[in-house]
Each structure stands twice: as structure tokens, then as C-alpha cells.
Amino acid sequence: MKLYETPSTPNCLRVSLFLAEKGLDIPRELIDVRAGDNLKEDFNNKSVNGLVPTLELDNGEYLCESIAICRYFEEIHPHPALFGTSHLERARVEMWQRIIELQGIMLIGQAIRNLTQIYKDRENCIEDWGHEALLRFRKLLPTLEAQLKAHPYLAGDNFSVADISAFIMLKMATKLDIEIDQRWPSIHQWQKNIQQRPAFAGLG
Amino acid sequence: MKLYETPSTPNCLRVSLFLAEKGLDIPRELIDVRAGDNLKEDFNNKSVNGLVPTLELDNGEYLCESIAICRYFEEIHPHPALFGTSHLERARVEMWQRIIELQGIMLIGQAIRNLTQIYKDRENCIEDWGHEALLRFRKLLPTLEAQLKAHPYLAGDNFSVADISAFIMLKMATKLDIEIDQRWPSIHQWQKNIQQRPAFAGLG
């Protein structure tokens, strides 16, 4: 098994945090996305979506999409469970994972790419959409604050992959100077608690 | 249990197709999204993301996000399995589900909303992003064609929730006059096969 990754990217960090929480370590190969390694034919023959992270399995098959890779590791190493432990908890984790993905990561990602134009060598940037996406992203923060005021973790009582996703989302947001401070006391406290976990050491 | 839905919306259709494939029927309550029912406080007290579909559980809890609702039904009614039956198949389903969601539904949804301005009463529309999102959406079609040339269903040998998602994605695309014809022979054949399933009757 081998993980193709650009360690600094949010989705690769997401898988690395997940593996660290599971106590797993697997071989890795560097793909330099900024240099365009993922645009080359050799990588595209491996990765269906052309993106990192991509996991090479021992049977020669490849899995892309960060959460699909995480789910595969959850399947083969179920403990500690990071996708929930009961029928209802698994549904709650999926719900929060998707809210973070679709109303959070997707929007802040579009804001970053359209406003900073970091990949203007390979994509058309629409600045007006960057501003709009950023406005919409900000609307998620009150929802997060309310949930984390009522529960220690996003999906309830237990740490899950949804917390990992929310952590990398807020790390992305710092690129556009969105910092979680005392205006969001419950998110701020949750973030401090998360940073105490061994897997998150050095990501303060 | 009760499902709050606007039956004509893609995400509500997705849950309805999933329930039909499972052979399940549950009580439903109409929320008229076009009339703004989902913007009212009563609904927002139920649905974390303020969107349909939202499922009310017998314990008084609410689940939103279409795929979280589907996963809950998969948990409590595992057969027929629509999220995969083995470790690897469940990862493959997640991979294709996410590719369809993030590189397909998300982009065609943004294209539709920014170009048709169907919800201009409640959101700022950026026409240039609509055009860009549509261009990016089109890039998914060769990927789908290649996968469906090699396999009968998106995640491989078995019908899954990823096929339901791809079906509603292509139904969305017809709103911007993207029709799957003989230029995409494998997608076209897959679509014809899917339409033969009893759950999909009348959606041709």
C-alpha cells in the first residue's frame, strides 16, 4: 500500500490526521501539485479524479478522494471508530461531514482559489465568485458555534472524521485571514481541545 | 419517522429513489422551497442546514443532508446494500459518490443557479461563475464514459447510491440542455438500463 500525497494540501492533511488518529503509518510518495505532477499522464492513470491524495492498494487498484481513503482505513482498522459506532451516530457523522464539506470546505476552497489565483496557471479565476463564496462560507460559523456550544464534538459526544474535516476547513480559512477568536467561544474552545490531541501536535 | 421534502428537487428525488430501491415507504410532509418554506424559523429549528430533505426521527431528532439520510436507512435496513458489501466496495462507492458530488452535482448546481438565477430572490448570482462551473462540469463526462465502458455500474459490478447520485446529476444537467446521447455511448446505455429499474419508472 502507498499513499500519493502533497503533504501541505488540506485533503492530504485530512488523511494524515485520520491515519495518525488510527495509529497507522503507511509508505508515502510525494506528488508536487504546485509543480503540476498531478497533471502528468502517469499520475492520471492512477487517480480517477487527478487529485491527491490517492491510495495505491496491494491488489494494484487505486482509490482517490480523501474521505473514501479514510473510509477504507475505517473498514480495515475499525478501532478507534472515526465514522461513528451506532446506526444513528454513523448518520450524524455523515451529516456533519457533508455540512462541513459542502457548506464549508467547498466554499472556502473556491474563495481561496478564485481570490488568491494560486492555480491561475491551470484554471480560470472569477474574482466576484471568490467574494461571494467567502460571504457564504461565513454563514456556516454560527451553525458550528451553536453545535459546539451544545456538544463537545461536531457529531455529538465522540470525536469523528467530521472534526478532522472542520479542523482543516478552519486552517484553510486562515489563508483569507479568518481567525477563530473569542467571537466564536465554543469553536475556539473546541479548536484548542483538538490541538491537544497527539495526532494534531504542531498544527496549532 | 417523517421526511420533509420538496419532491421536485434533486436531493429529495435522490432520497426517494434510494427508498424505492430499498422498498421502503415513509410518511412525508411537503416543504415548498420555491415559496420559501425552508427559510421560516419553524423549519430551521428542525434542519441544521436549512435544506430539504430533512428526516424527523421517532426520538425527536432531525437528520438533514440527503446522503446522511440514505446512510441511516442503509444502517437500519441493510438489504439490498446500496453503499457496498465489502471493505473495498464500500470505499469504491464512497469514492464515486464523492466524485459525482464534488465534481458533478456541486458544479452543475452552481451553473444552474448562477445562470438561470432561479433563486435570485435569496442569493447573489454571478453569471461568469455559472459559465465556468458548466465548463468544469463537462470535464466529468469523459471520466464517467470511461468508467461505464469498463463496468456496468459506477462503483463496479453492483448498483449503488453512486448510480442514484449520477442519475440525478444528469437529470439536473438537462436544465442547461446537456443531453446524454450517442456521443457518450456507455453513459447512454447505463442511463437506459437504470431507467428500466422499477424505482426509476416514469423518470425517462
Side-chain angles (χ1 to χ4, degrees), chain B residues 3-7 12-13 16 28-32 52-54:
Chain B
L3 187 65
Y4 296 86
E5 63 166 6
T6 310
C12 291
L13 177 58
S16 286
R28 296 161 191 245
E29 183 169 323
L30 180 67
I31 296 290
D32 187 343
V52 286
T54 289

Side-chain angles (χ1 to χ4, degrees), chain A residues 14 49 61 64-65 67 71 75 87 90 92 94-95 98 101 103 110 124 132 136, chain B residues 14 49 57 61 64-65 67 71 75 87 90 92 94-95 98 101 103 110 124 132 136:
Chain A
R14 174 149 61 166
N49 67 4
E61 186 171 338
C64 60
E65 285 296 335
I67 291 294
R71 193 174 291 279
E75 291 279 339
H87 296 333
R90 283 190 281 269
R92 282 191 207 116
E94 179 85 59
M95 172 178 125
R98 275 178 66 92
E101 196 80 44
Q103 301 187 285
Q110 290 186 339
N124 186 21
E132 179 63 25
R136 295 185 189 187
Chain B
R14 174 149 61 168
N49 66 4
L57 301 175
E61 186 171 338
C64 60
E65 285 295 335
I67 291 294
R71 193 175 291 281
E75 291 280 339
H87 295 334
R90 282 191 281 270
R92 282 191 205 116
E94 179 86 57
M95 172 177 123
R98 274 177 68 90
E101 196 80 44
Q103 301 187 285
Q110 290 185 338
N124 187 20
E132 179 63 25
R136 295 185 189 187

Side-chain angles (χ1 to χ4, degrees), chain B residues 107-162:
Chain B
L107 289 170
I108 193 67
Q110 290 185 338
I112 291 169
R113 288 176 74 139
N114 284 288
L115 291 175
T116 70
Q117 308 199 357
I118 188 175
Y119 288 113
K120 69 179 176 186
D121 60 322
R122 62 192 78 167
E123 69 186 11
N124 187 20
C125 299
I126 311 288
E127 192 179 345
D128 284 351
W129 182 255
H131 291 296
E132 179 63 25
L134 185 56
L135 282 175
R136 295 185 189 187
F137 168 75
R138 287 183 184 275
K139 292 183 182 167
L140 180 59
L141 296 179
T143 304
L144 281 194
E145 176 65 22
Q147 179 69 2
L148 293 170
K149 188 174 180 182
H151 304 279
Y153 299 105
L154 265 182
D157 290 335
N158 299 312
F159 178 85
S160 78
V161 67

